[in-house]
Structure formats: structure tokens, C-alpha cells
Amino acid sequence: MTPRQTAILLAIALTWGASFLFIKVMIDDSVHPLGVSAGRTLLGAMVLWAIVLRGDRAALRMPRGTWAGLALLGLVQFAIPWTLFGIAERSVPSGVASIANS
């Protein structure tokens, strides 16, 4: 592995692992797990919409079934797990939650 690849992998690991620490800190400061999940989902949606709006807007013209599938995917793959990790981190350390995610 090249030094650049190692640096990228380390940066991703730090970013990914730090998110579990930040969830733990927010939960300990009396933020509800749904609030954490909603904040992460909203932030991600805003970033993705900014990217989409800068690019090809024709890509937004999809059938309703496709939009429904994407909404379901977002719910199952992001919103629900983030909420469950927030709930779990009320009783387990952030490192355990991070390992369980991996």
C-alpha cells in the first residue's frame, strides 16, 4: 500500500470512528437519539442536494417508483441504523458501537 493510500485509509478510519464518539457525547448531553439521527440525515441530504443541483438536473427526472425505492433505501440503510446506534450508545461505549458497526 502506498503512503497516500495509507493516509486516505487513516483519514477515513478517523472520520468514521469519530462519528461514534460524537454520537456518545451528544447522547450524554441529553440529545435524544432521534435528534442525532435526524441531524445526520439532514446534513447528508443537504450535501447531496447541493451536489445534485450543481450537476445534471435531468438526473432528477425519475419515475415515482424509483424515488420510493430510494426513500426506502435511505430509511433502512441510514436513518434506522443511526437511530439504533444512538439508542445503543446510551448503554455501551462508543468503541463497542464502532466495532459492532464494522
Side-chain angles (χ1 to χ4, degrees), residues 32-44 79 82-83:
H32 195 274
L34 285 175
V36 174
S37 178
R40 289 183 72 173
T41 303
L42 181 63
L43 180 64
W82 288 340
T83 303

Side-chain angles (χ1 to χ4, degrees), residues 1-59:
M1 189 178 315
T2 67
R4 182 175 186 267
Q5 291 170 332
T6 303
I8 291 171
L9 181 62
L10 187 60
I12 290 170
L14 287 172
T15 303
W16 195 287
S19 69
F20 290 95
L21 175 63
F22 294 138
I23 290 171
K24 183 69 169 180
V25 169
M26 286 188 287
I27 300 276
D28 286 346
D29 289 338
S30 70
V31 175
H32 195 274
L34 285 175
V36 174
S37 178
R40 289 183 72 173
T41 303
L42 181 63
L43 180 64
M46 290 184 338
V47 169
L48 290 175
W49 272 112
I51 291 168
V52 166
L53 293 177
R54 283 192 73 206
D56 182 18
R57 292 186 185 186

Side-chain angles (χ1 to χ4, degrees), residues 92-101:
V92 299
S94 61
V96 172
S98 178
I99 291 169
N101 183 59

